[in-house]
Amino acid sequence: MKTLLIGEYREGKLLESTYELLSFAAQLNADTAMLLVGSESQLPAYAGTLYLADIATCGEYNPDLHKKLILDAVQKENPDCIVFLHSSYGWDLAPRVAAALKAAQISEVIANLDGGFEVGCCNAKMRRTVKSTTARTVITIQAGAFPVLQPGGSPAVQKLTADSSGNLEFIGYEPAEKKDVDLAKAEVIVTAGRGIGKKDNVPVIQALARALGGELGASRPVVDAGWVEHSHQVGTTGQTVSPKLYIACGVSGAIQHLAGMKKSDFIIAINKDKDAPIGEVADVLVVADVMQFVPALTAKVAK
Amino acid sequence: MKLLVCIKQVPDLESRFKPDATGTWFSETDLAFRMNEYDEYAVEQAVRLREQLGDSCELTVLSIGPDRVVEAIKKALAMGCDNAAHIQDNAASSKDPWQIAATIAAYAKDKGFDIIFTGMQSQDRGSAQVGVTVAELLGIACTTTIVGFACDSGTITAKRELEGGIKGVVKLKTPALVTCQLGLNVPRYPTLPNIMKAKKKEIIAIPVGDLLKEEALAITASFHPPAKKGGGIVLEGDVADLVEKVIAILKDKTAVLR
Ligand SMILES: Cc1cc2nc3c(=O)[nH]c(=O)nc-3n(C[C@H](O)[C@H](O)[C@H](O)COP(=O)(O)OP(=O)(O)OC[C@H]3O[C@@H](n4cnc5c(N)ncnc54)[C@H](O)[C@@H]3O)c2cc1C
């Protein structure tokens, strides 16, 4: 088995998640080569073949050009699997490579099994085992599902270049919105999820946060709906937190939310659905209606 | 300008899922279906552009699936799409993303759509492949996970959402496809007059066999619940009792109550 791993750069830096690809390949017992659009000043600590394209000329986001680079490396390496992270870079680029090769793509893999690759579905409530029927397979792996593996050493660099078709132009980055609260410093976070029902109920969650001397957190739909400001959002596109106590109120536990809070010391979830995936990371799952349970708890805590 | 928006009907994600007889997808018994959340943002954005451009613009909504998906199509028509294509497929859930994309591309080919909108992924499968693959099959520009969209004389300016909340600004020349992320806009609720008007809009039915000539590239071997990791405790019962138990746990296991 041979894999071609596609590493990632963001804002001029090699992303540490690139090393998750190496542990995925190690689990498959596969030979590896890596491709990176990056720079020679920051190479991954890994002693294999590295196809390197220059970030200054190829850009960080130029999917058409990056696709051509990968296809070139596929020609040279003849890999069985081409592996990306399931990230804003990977899910954008992987289907382009798969379509060009007419290869099966398996998205957001969380484990290798004998019978195929395991992926989540139904908002993380269920799993599927998926098999490829094509000679080559394109895979994206879930962020954080495979541990970081830094083998050390320096790669044998082979340089690549390609031209772009130019139907897409990357203008630049816009920074994340300013924070009015630093959730990373909070010892207690009480998070409002969509299960709170409406904006008028936010103060109920806020009151519990206050009674416990903590901050208000929010899941993404609560922020998107304008109930709570973005600076309170927990998850991959918000903040990553690890307070002493995290209370999730009406949060289902989608992977993008879990990624931002699963390292909390103690997690309590309040959900009317006993099967909600938040139960997988919660120390205590309280099966109840948030709007009944939370005010009652706040009253007791305040005493 | 010609616009296309592709939508999927998915089950309510708060439901309980059980494998069907094939053991490769869920049983539809007792499930309620609705429009995929990501696609609601796609429909809203397409309708806004349609309104901005006026009657020189035509907006088609497309969905693949059994007859129940007509409900989702009707909602999109009531939100402001002009007409619809229902690609009839009772076995849509057994198709892989490649086949779904190939079906859409076969429909869209030669129709001259300037912009195609899709959700970034479906809530039930979450493969995040169909939109990009359609663009590749049609050979048009594409960007994904957009949380900002503007279109001016054939150029789209889109904001892609990246990890940690930073955004990447991208310009694309039409024809192009964009996949829409949560929070792109605030999808409207169809009003009663618009629901009535939508009843007169045309829904063309096309059997999937007329469009799909491709075999699946990936197959689902099994659909099952996750292995329980255990660990956590589950508390059920009367609210007053639950509160007492949680207070006791907070005192015992955390330092926040003393
Ligand atoms: C690229 C990308 C990035 C993302 N980034 C983030 C991110 O940073 N943060 C984030 O949170 N999400 C993020 N998401 C969205 C994520 O996938 C989920 O859609 C989101 O986390 C769901 O939020 P929720 O749990 O509040 O809502 P839902 O999934 O709708 O869950 C609501 C829950 O409340 C429960 N409930 C309902 N009513 C009650 C009641 N009365 N009492 C008790 N419980 C009740 C339900 O059982 C359900 O479990 C991202 C998605 C993508 C694709």
Side-chain angles (χ1 to χ4, degrees):
Chain A
M1 167 86 87
K2 194 167 195 180
T3 55
L4 176 66
L5 311 176
I6 315 299
E8 266 185 59
Y9 255 59
R10 175 74 47 76
E11 294 183 284
K13 290 196 197 77
L14 176 70
L15 294 186
E16 205 196 41
S17 50
T18 298
Y19 294 107
E20 295 173 20
L21 297 165
L22 285 167
S23 77
F24 173 79
Q27 281 194 16
L28 282 177
N29 252 326
D31 293 337
T32 57
M34 193 184 283
L35 181 144
L36 193 62
V37 181
S39 85
E40 254 168 318
S41 62
Q42 253 191 90
L43 295 177
Y46 137 86
T49 303
L50 177 71
Y51 293 95
L52 183 70
D54 181 25
I55 197 132
T57 52
C58 299
E60 282 185 19
Y61 183 65
N62 189 339
D64 189 56
L65 192 155
H66 289 204
K67 171 180 79 181
K68 287 178 188 155
L69 293 168
I70 294 169
L71 294 176
D72 186 9
V74 166
Q75 277 273 310
K76 297 190 162 90
E77 282 293 318
N78 197 18
D80 305 286
C81 290
I82 302 138
V83 191
F84 299 78
L85 286 152
H86 195 73
S87 62
S88 58
Y89 179 75
W91 67 60
D92 185 280
L93 191 51
R96 305 179 199 252
V97 172
L101 296 169
K102 204 173 169 185
Q105 182 184 334
I106 304 178
S107 300
E108 208 168 2
V109 166
I110 52 181
N112 306 311
L113 304 176
D114 283 342
F117 294 100
E118 186 93 331
V119 304
C121 60
C122 299
N123 205 10
K125 279 189 165 180
M126 300 296 287
R127 301 280 184 269
R128 289 191 304 139
T129 310
V130 187
K131 280 187 204 167
S132 164
T133 66
T134 54
R136 285 191 222 287
T137 306
V138 171
I139 286 170
T140 64
I141 60 169
Q142 186 175 84
F146 298 89
V148 162
L149 177 71
Q150 277 205 34
S154 13
V157 173
Q158 290 195 35
K159 293 201 176 153
L160 293 182
T161 53
D163 291 323
S164 158
S165 75
N167 58 11
L168 183 151
E169 187 191 352
F170 180 65
I171 308 295
Y173 291 110
E174 242 177 43
E177 279 167 52
K178 274 234 166 56
K179 301 181 193 172
D180 68 359
V181 355
D182 191 357
L183 290 183
K185 289 208 186 93
E187 298 208 333
V188 177
I189 296 175
V190 183
T191 289
R194 180 149 50 191
I196 69 163
K198 54 182 181 197
K199 186 173 186 173
D200 293 351
N201 292 336
V202 172
V204 172
I205 309 301
Q206 179 100 58
L208 178 59
R210 256 197 221 117
L212 290 166
E215 296 282 359
L216 176 71
S219 73
R220 172 162 190 148
V222 167
V223 171
D224 286 342
W227 299 354
V228 171
E229 281 183 20
H230 180 265
S231 53
H232 294 263
Q233 185 181 313
V234 174
T236 42
T237 47
Q239 299 191 50
T240 302
V241 299
S242 51
K244 294 209 162 70
L245 173 63
Y246 189 91
I247 306 186
C249 309
V251 174
S252 63
I255 174 66
Q256 296 90 355
H257 190 82
L258 299 188
M261 49 64 75
K262 66 181 176 198
K263 297 212 173 104
S264 305
D265 291 349
F266 198 78
I267 300 171
I268 300 180
I270 298 124
N271 202 302
K272 63 174 187 188
D273 177 3
K274 200 178 163 179
D275 296 329
I278 188 87
E280 276 188 43
V281 301
D283 297 283
V284 180
L285 173 64
V286 180
V287 184
D289 185 304
V290 253
M291 294 321 294
Q292 287 174 11
F293 178 82
V294 172
L297 181 64
T298 309
K300 271 278 172 190
V301 168
K303 266 194 199 152
Chain B
M1 226 181 198
K2 285 185 78 178
L3 310 178
L4 177 69
V5 58
C6 304
I7 65 171
K8 179 177 183 182
Q9 198 192 35
V10 298
D12 185 333
L13 273 301
E14 288 178 18
S15 323
R16 279 206 130 152
F17 295 97
K18 286 189 234 84
D20 64 8
T22 67
T24 57
W25 197 229
F26 51 73
S27 154
E28 293 197 1
T29 317
D30 298 331
L31 294 183
F33 284 82
R34 56 191 296 283
M35 194 191 301
N36 178 40
E37 197 179 348
Y38 296 85
D39 302 344
E40 287 185 10
Y41 295 96
V43 172
E44 176 63 32
Q45 204 60 48
V47 169
R48 287 186 189 186
L49 183 59
R50 161 75 177 78
E51 288 169 344
Q52 177 194 323
L53 297 171
D55 285 336
S56 63
C57 178
E58 186 190 351
L59 168 57
T60 302
V61 54
L62 171 154
S63 190
I64 305 174
D67 285 342
R68 62 169 162 74
V69 310
V70 173
E71 274 315 302
I73 289 177
K74 282 185 180 158
K75 179 171 183 190
L77 291 173
M79 286 172 77
C81 296
D82 295 302
N83 51 49
H86 171 207
I87 299 171
Q88 297 168 305
D89 185 2
N90 288 333
S93 63
S94 66
K95 303 284 190 298
D96 76 339
W98 168 256
Q99 289 176 299
I100 298 292
T103 306
I104 298 171
Y107 168 82
K109 192 169 68 93
D110 307 330
K111 289 204 175 56
F113 290 113
D114 298 284
I115 306 178
I116 302 178
F117 296 86
T118 71
M120 78 146 289
Q121 63 180 6
S122 61
Q123 288 173 282
D124 55 356
R125 282 242 192 181
S127 297
Q129 295 176 26
V130 171
V132 184
T133 309
V134 169
E136 289 295 303
L137 290 171
L138 294 172
I140 63 177
C142 168
T143 196
T144 57
T145 339
I146 65 163
V147 290
F149 175 92
C151 178
D152 188 29
S153 40
T155 302
I156 295 169
T157 307
K159 276 185 199 168
R160 302 189 67 218
E161 186 182 50
L162 313 175
E163 288 71 17
I166 58 168
K167 295 178 183 107
V169 184
V170 178
K171 279 193 193 302
L172 306 147
K173 290 203 182 70
T174 61
L177 183 148
V178 291
T179 80
C180 302
Q181 163 70 322
L182 306 171
L184 170 62
N185 49 46
V186 181
R188 69 194 66 192
Y189 289 103
T191 60
L192 194 58
N194 286 339
I195 293 173
M196 300 314 287
K197 251 198 260 168
K199 290 195 187 325
K200 297 198 196 84
K201 293 181 179 174
E202 187 183 24
I203 304 176
I204 298 172
I206 306 165
V208 69
D210 291 1
L211 297 171
L212 178 62
K213 311 292 172 203
E214 295 287 330
E215 296 292 323
L217 304 181
I219 45 176
T220 304
S222 134
F223 174 85
H224 50 270
K228 277 271 171 254
K229 294 209 187 81
I233 50 173
V234 178
L235 301 176
E236 284 178 277
D238 173 64
V239 168
D241 289 347
L242 290 174
V243 169
E244 291 303 331
K245 284 184 188 151
V246 170
I247 293 278
I249 290 169
L250 286 176
K251 285 187 176 149
D252 188 32
K253 304 275 177 168
T254 76
V256 301
L257 282 188
R258 254 168 293 210

